[in-house]
Amino acid sequence: CFFTFSTRLEDLRLKLENEGLVNISYVVVNHQGASSQRKFHLLKESVSDYITVYQQDEQQDDVWTTLNGNKDDFLIYDRCGRLVYHLGLPYSFLSFPYVEESIKIAYCENKCGNCSYT
């Protein structure tokens, strides 16, 4: 399952980059469970070096709980570090346009007014 996800995420990254949307950080947060931890190296190998894979420690607070999300969610932040979109299933499926459109909106629109990064 994560091979399909990683391929689609890489395809999306390349598509956006080819459209001029550069300097976007992509981070995959691996689940804390033992099964996910055992497969961490496979997940890491399935994505390019442009996508960071973060492995949670079993002893730390769960990242998804801290962020009020679930393991299949997409959290999209603007360049100032503000959460712009939180997409859960089914909207987080990369076969649908929601993730791509949310990234484009966060990248291209100045929702907060004047920005020193534009």
Side-chain angles (χ1 to χ4, degrees):
C1 177
F2 61 76
F3 290 115
T4 302
F5 162 78
S6 58
T7 301
R8 286 194 173 148
L9 184 59
E10 181 63 20
D11 289 347
L12 177 59
R13 185 193 70 76
L14 288 170
K15 178 181 181 190
L16 293 174
E17 188 174 287
N18 289 334
E19 291 177 7
L21 281 74
V22 295
N23 296 323
I24 297 174
S25 298
Y26 298 85
V27 179
V28 175
V29 178
N30 196 29
H31 190 263
Q32 277 182 305
S35 174
S36 295
Q37 289 206 359
R38 283 191 301 276
K39 296 175 185 173
F40 172 73
H41 69 284
L42 295 172
L43 177 59
K44 186 144 178 70
E45 291 170 4
S46 72
V47 297
S48 74
D49 292 337
Y50 298 102
I51 300 173
T52 302
V53 180
Y54 175 74
Q55 177 59 61
Q56 301 185 72
D57 186 281
E58 285 186 89
Q59 307 307 315
Q60 78 182 79
D61 291 340
D62 178 47
V63 169
W64 293 113
T65 301
T66 302
L67 297 173
N68 294 318
N70 295 304
K71 71 175 189 72
D72 294 317
D73 290 0
F74 270 84
L75 295 121
I76 299 172
Y77 294 85
D78 67 12
R79 64 189 77 212
C80 297
R82 292 177 296 243
L83 179 64
V84 179
Y85 291 101
H86 182 161
L87 302 172
L89 292 175
Y91 303 102
S92 61
F93 285 127
L94 290 172
S95 56
F96 295 144
Y98 305 110
V99 173
E100 178 180 348
E101 291 304 313
S102 298
I103 291 172
K104 287 179 177 180
I105 291 168
Y107 190 94
C108 297
E109 292 186 10
N110 294 326
K111 291 187 172 254
C112 61
N114 291 334
C115 182
S116 62
Y117 291 108
T118 56

